[in-house]
Amino acid sequence: YTDVLDRPLEELNGLTLNQVFEENQIFENYNFELGKTPFILWNKILDFEVINGVAQFIAEIQNERLYQTSMVFNHEHYYYNFAYVKSSSNLVGISQSSISSNFIPHSGSNQFEYLSSIFKYINIYSSEFRVIDRRISNFDTVYVDYMGLIDLTSLGIDNLTVEQMDYFYKQYNF
């Protein structure tokens, strides 16, 4: 298994899976192994818990979201974002604050699902990648096992598709 993670891959510009998904992970504590820090909920009235490495929150308002603060994205760069989320609603999903049309919904299956997208930041303002609950009522627990963000442009692999990045992440995290 270690050999697979540390083998340079032509499709990844000669990088290894470890280099792409571990060493170039933008989020600190992306898998919640160290608890909550530096993630926050937008509402800030309530808090969230991390139990056995899984973040859990119940929204009290529409558009409650879990994210990291102080994210500055490079202008014109492509990013791959992903999260492993469990929810009973298709109004829960992932999105970026500066791109309102890029909402990737959970199916509402009440099972963990891998959600991902590739997006390009077209402004130079701070922004956020988040797990968001868009419901206006009937809130219940949203579970987030991990959420990550990779700058594809800085790695020279911004020609890859979401499907290709999903494939490589599954090889990394099997």
Side-chain angles (χ1 to χ4, degrees):
Y1 177 68
T2 302
D3 182 51
V4 171
L5 297 177
D6 292 324
R7 185 179 337 122
L9 298 172
E10 183 179 331
E11 301 94 324
L12 294 175
N13 199 25
L15 298 170
T16 68
L17 293 172
N18 271 334
Q19 287 173 315
V20 171
F21 294 108
E22 192 69 34
E23 296 172 20
N24 286 287
Q25 175 57 246
I26 293 174
F27 277 171
E28 297 176 44
N29 191 31
Y30 75 99
N31 56 10
F32 302 100
E33 286 182 357
L34 304 175
K36 298 190 275 189
T37 304
F39 288 90
I40 62 170
L41 282 178
W42 174 73
N43 185 7
K44 297 182 183 142
I45 294 171
L46 55 96
D47 203 359
F48 71 99
E49 297 180 300
V50 175
I51 299 173
N52 297 322
V54 178
Q56 304 176 24
F57 70 92
I58 299 174
E60 292 181 345
I61 61 169
Q62 185 179 25
N63 295 325
E64 181 64 88
R65 52 197 173 266
L66 180 66
Y67 66 101
Q68 284 194 11
T69 59
S70 304
M71 298 300 301
V72 177
F73 295 91
N74 290 320
H75 181 65
E76 298 291 322
H77 278 219
Y78 287 90
Y79 292 86
Y80 174 67
N81 59 29
F82 56 93
Y84 198 51
V85 179
K86 177 181 174 183
S87 175
S88 65
S89 173
N90 64 359
L91 294 174
V92 170
I94 61 173
S95 71
Q96 297 75 42
S97 60
S98 67
I99 308 172
S100 61
S101 64
N102 195 329
F103 175 71
I104 307 299
H106 188 280
S107 72
S109 68
N110 211 23
Q111 300 294 317
F112 275 102
E113 295 176 11
Y114 188 77
L115 308 176
S116 64
S117 70
I118 291 178
F119 62 95
K120 179 180 181 182
Y121 270 95
I122 54 175
N123 62 45
I124 57 173
Y125 303 105
S126 293
S127 194
E128 67 193 37
F129 162 60
R130 67 255 181 120
V131 172
I132 187 168
D133 188 337
R134 292 182 165 184
R135 292 179 279 193
I136 59 172
S137 63
N138 299 320
F139 301 114
D140 60 4
T141 306
V142 174
Y143 302 87
V144 183
D145 190 19
Y146 54 82
M147 55 190 295
L149 186 66
I150 307 291
D151 182 343
L152 299 176
T153 303
S154 70
L155 298 176
I157 56 174
D158 56 5
N159 59 321
L160 297 177
T161 66
V162 173
E163 294 77 18
Q164 289 171 309
M165 288 303 297
D166 289 352
Y167 169 80
F168 287 121
Y169 189 79
K170 287 175 185 161
Q171 296 300 308
Y172 167 75
N173 193 38
F174 73 88

